Amino acid sequence: MVPWCHAAAGLLIAGFSGGASLDMGSQYLLMSVAAVLIGISVTGAA
């Protein structure tokens, strides 16, 4: 199910921006990594 969600998000971003390129999601990388690290530190899961 998760790959389908990633595919849908990619299509929505490509449609919103008017085209697709290899680095179009790089601006979201730092925020997503930070959210994961904060979630791990808050819950104590490892």
Side-chain angles (χ1 to χ4, degrees):
M1 179 171 164
V2 173
W4 290 102
C5 293
H6 292 155
L11 288 173
L12 288 173
I13 291 173
F16 180 72
S17 67
S21 67
L22 292 176
D23 64 344
M24 67 186 304
S26 62
Q27 62 188 358
Y28 302 112
L29 183 62
L30 181 62
M31 290 191 304
S32 62
V33 170
V36 169
L37 292 177
I38 291 171
I40 288 173
S41 66
V42 168
T43 62

